[in-house]
């Protein structure tokens, strides 16, 4: 084999290896992101009953965190106890979070950064690498050039204030502050305590992860695509301030403190398929693509769920097929009603699409 042929192969292998290692903190652990049914999307209102359907196996608690300040040999739930669940909805490029925390001293009476905080970092395409200005790999770039061209662009960091009394709900760390507002994010809190009190805080929110989120605004932004079984990089830290403003804990899900600015130090999360109890045993679904409009050729793609043993297509022009993924040629222009009926050991289902298929 010549060197000219070996080099491209090595480059491909290096790229695959790099993608595998991008989110490499805790390499033996992959956390789960719950898939909500499309008709049961959690309402962001502070009422957490929407999350009752999420199994306990999705919960990530204090026992999974590392005390980064070294004050404790293991997490001290008497000082701060947290529970987090993460969800997603197929077809919506959003990550939903439920954060519940009980603290012996809630600190939030200052207007600046010093506030009890839930800090999350997300890298949904596993691009990895640094994401804040001072970690820019080119040390010749000035701080402000790095900030406005690089900081938070390919992975995002949110300093979420718990609670955000007299301030915005989060600092989106970088020049793209628009990512923390609708239509890209939303949040709601429930708590009943004053600064310095103990008590419980509940926070529901969702964010939109971006493969590209530049300082110029959302016009050129690229949302991260979320789909079943996708792996993403995600981690969080819980900053716990106590009386006098000193930190009583800096709890990390990642084993690396600098995960706040290094996407390669995040933890792997998987976007899960829907739990069986929320799925119909057989559900018809299909899509199509016009592959040759001049010849009116349409390729149909079965996307049904469940154990399927037979497919029956009605193309709306008097023709049918029992193939799973048929290609059909229409003789005449028109708007067609196409129906797919599927059947299996656990039942049958049918899906009709009215006038989606159009040829001229």
């Amino acid at each position: 084999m010549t060197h000219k042929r070996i080099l491209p192969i090595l480059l491909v292998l290096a790229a695959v290896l790099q993608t595998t290692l991008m989110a490499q903190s805790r390499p033996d652990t992959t956390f789960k992101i719950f898939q909500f049914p499309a008709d049961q999307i959690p309402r962001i209102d502070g009422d957490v009953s929407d999350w009752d359907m999420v199994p306990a196996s999705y919960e990530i608690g204090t026992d999974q965190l590392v005390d980064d300040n070294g004050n404790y040999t293991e997490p001290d739930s008497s000082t701060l106890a947290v529970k987090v669940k993460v969800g997603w909805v197929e077809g919506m490029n959003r990550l939903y979070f439920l954060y519940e925390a009980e603290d012996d001293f809630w600190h939030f009476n200052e207007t600046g950064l010093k506030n009890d905080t839930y800090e999350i970092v997300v890298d949904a395409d596993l691009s990895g690498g640094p994401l804040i200005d001072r970690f820019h790999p080119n040390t010749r770039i000035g701080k402000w050039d790095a900030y406005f061209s690089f900081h938070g662009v390919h992975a995002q960091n949110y300093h979420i204030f718990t609670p955000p009394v007299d301030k915005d709900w989060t600092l989106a760390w970088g020049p793209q502050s628009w990512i923390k507002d609708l239509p890209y994010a939303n949040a709601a809190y429930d708590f009943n305590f004053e600064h310095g009190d103990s008590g419980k805080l509940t926070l529901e929110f969702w964010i939109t992860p971006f493969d590209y989120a530049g300082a110029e605004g959302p016009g050129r932004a690229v949302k991260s695509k979320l789909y079943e079984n996708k792996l993403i990089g995600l981690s969080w830290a819980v900053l716990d301030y106590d009386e006098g403003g000193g930190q009583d804990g800096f709890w990390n899900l990642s084993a690396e403190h600098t995960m706040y600015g290094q996407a390669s130090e995040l933890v792997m999360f998987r976007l899960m398929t829907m739990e069986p109890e929320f799925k119909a045993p057989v559900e018809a679904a299909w899509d199509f693509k016009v592959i040759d409009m001049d010849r009116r050729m349409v390729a149909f793609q079965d996307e049904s769920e469940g154990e399927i043993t037979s497919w029956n297509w009605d193309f709306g022009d008097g023709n049918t097929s029992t193939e799973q993924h048929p290609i059909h040629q229409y003789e005449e222009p028109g708007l067609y009603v196409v129906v797919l009926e599927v059947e299996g050991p656990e039942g049958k289902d049918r899906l009709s699409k009215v006038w989606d298929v159009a040829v001229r």
Side-chain angles (χ1 to χ4, degrees):
M1 184 178 293
T2 66
H3 292 297
K4 289 184 178 179
R5 294 180 62 189
I6 291 174
L7 182 57
I9 294 173
L10 291 177
L11 291 174
V12 170
L13 290 174
V16 171
L17 180 61
Q18 183 183 33
T19 300
T20 304
L21 296 177
M22 278 304 174
Q24 58 190 2
S25 182
R26 306 181 66 170
D28 297 329
T29 302
T30 300
F31 293 103
K32 300 190 298 182
I33 300 178
F34 177 78
Q35 183 178 159
F36 283 96
D39 61 350
Q40 299 182 68
I41 301 172
R43 181 184 175 96
I44 305 302
D45 57 2
D47 178 356
V48 302
S49 59
D50 296 339
W51 292 79
D52 290 346
M53 68 172 63
V54 183
S57 61
Y58 287 83
E59 185 175 283
I60 303 171
T62 310
D63 60 329
Q64 293 283 355
L65 305 181
V66 176
D67 176 36
D68 196 67
N69 276 349
N71 293 334
Y72 308 102
T73 56
E74 59 184 24
D76 185 352
S77 58
S78 67
T79 299
L80 178 69
V82 302
K83 296 186 295 185
V84 182
K85 291 179 179 178
V86 189
W88 75 294
V89 181
E90 188 172 22
M92 301 179 68
N93 298 313
R94 298 176 177 176
L95 294 175
Y96 288 81
F97 292 80
L98 171 61
Y99 176 74
E100 298 176 285
E102 295 186 57
D103 195 356
D104 62 347
F105 186 102
W106 286 100
H107 188 288
F108 53 89
N109 68 339
E110 302 183 35
T111 57
L113 193 61
K114 187 178 289 186
N115 196 117
D116 285 339
T117 300
Y118 176 53
E119 179 182 11
I120 66 169
V121 182
V122 59
D123 177 23
D125 64 352
L126 292 179
S127 49
L131 62 114
I132 65 174
D133 50 15
R134 64 176 176 267
F135 292 163
H136 196 292
N138 188 341
T139 57
R140 298 179 63 184
I141 292 180
K143 171 183 172 59
W144 294 113
D145 285 341
Y147 182 80
F148 284 103
S149 67
F150 173 77
H151 195 126
V153 171
H154 73 92
Q156 293 80 47
N157 179 308
Y158 299 77
H159 284 256
I160 302 169
F161 301 116
T162 54
V165 176
D166 299 327
K167 64 179 72 171
D168 206 352
W169 76 280
T170 186
L171 158 68
W173 194 14
Q176 54 286 95
S177 59
W178 49 269
I179 67 173
K180 65 182 176 181
D181 299 321
L182 286 169
Y184 307 110
N186 195 19
Y189 293 79
D190 182 38
F191 65 94
N192 185 23
F193 49 75
E194 301 293 334
H195 170 80
D197 289 349
S198 62
K200 180 179 179 180
L201 175 139
T202 300
L203 164 63
E204 285 186 290
F205 68 97
W206 58 264
I207 60 170
T208 304
F210 289 90
D211 294 346
Y212 177 84
E216 69 277 5
R220 293 180 54 214
V222 179
K223 295 179 182 178
S224 303
K225 299 297 183 183
L226 304 182
Y227 50 84
E228 288 186 349
N229 288 312
K230 182 178 183 178
L231 288 170
I232 69 170
L234 176 65
S235 192
W236 52 76
V238 182
L239 285 67
D240 183 21
Y241 290 90
D242 272 0
E243 189 170 5
Q247 280 188 3
D248 190 43
F250 194 118
W251 313 94
N252 268 325
L253 185 62
S254 169
E256 308 297 332
H257 171 73
T258 50
M259 68 91 200
Y260 60 82
Q262 294 281 4
S264 300
E265 296 175 355
L266 303 179
V267 180
M268 287 287 197
F269 277 74
R270 184 180 297 277
L271 300 167
M272 299 302 293
T273 58
M274 197 173 297
E275 294 291 325
E277 59 265 37
F278 303 116
K279 297 174 64 174
V282 175
E283 184 173 1
W286 58 273
D287 203 354
F288 73 97
K289 183 177 182 180
V290 179
I291 56 176
D292 188 334
M293 184 61 81
D294 292 337
R295 299 171 59 203
R296 305 187 190 95
M297 299 287 290
V298 181
F300 292 91
Q301 179 75 26
D302 169 54
E303 297 179 349
S304 303
E305 299 279 346
E307 185 180 351
I308 311 296
T309 55
S310 68
W311 297 262
N312 288 285
W313 295 85
D314 181 341
F315 299 119
D317 63 350
N319 292 292
T320 62
S321 173
T322 57
E323 297 180 26
Q324 183 178 6
H325 308 295
I327 295 177
H328 180 63
Q329 183 174 16
Y330 287 91
E331 295 296 328
E332 301 291 336
L335 303 172
Y336 291 95
V337 177
V338 179
V339 183
L340 170 63
E341 184 170 342
V342 294
E343 188 170 356
E346 298 187 56
K348 61 183 179 180
D349 193 31
R350 182 176 64 178
L351 178 63
S352 169
K353 294 189 179 184
V354 179
W355 292 359
D356 281 21
V357 178
V359 291
R360 63 188 178 201

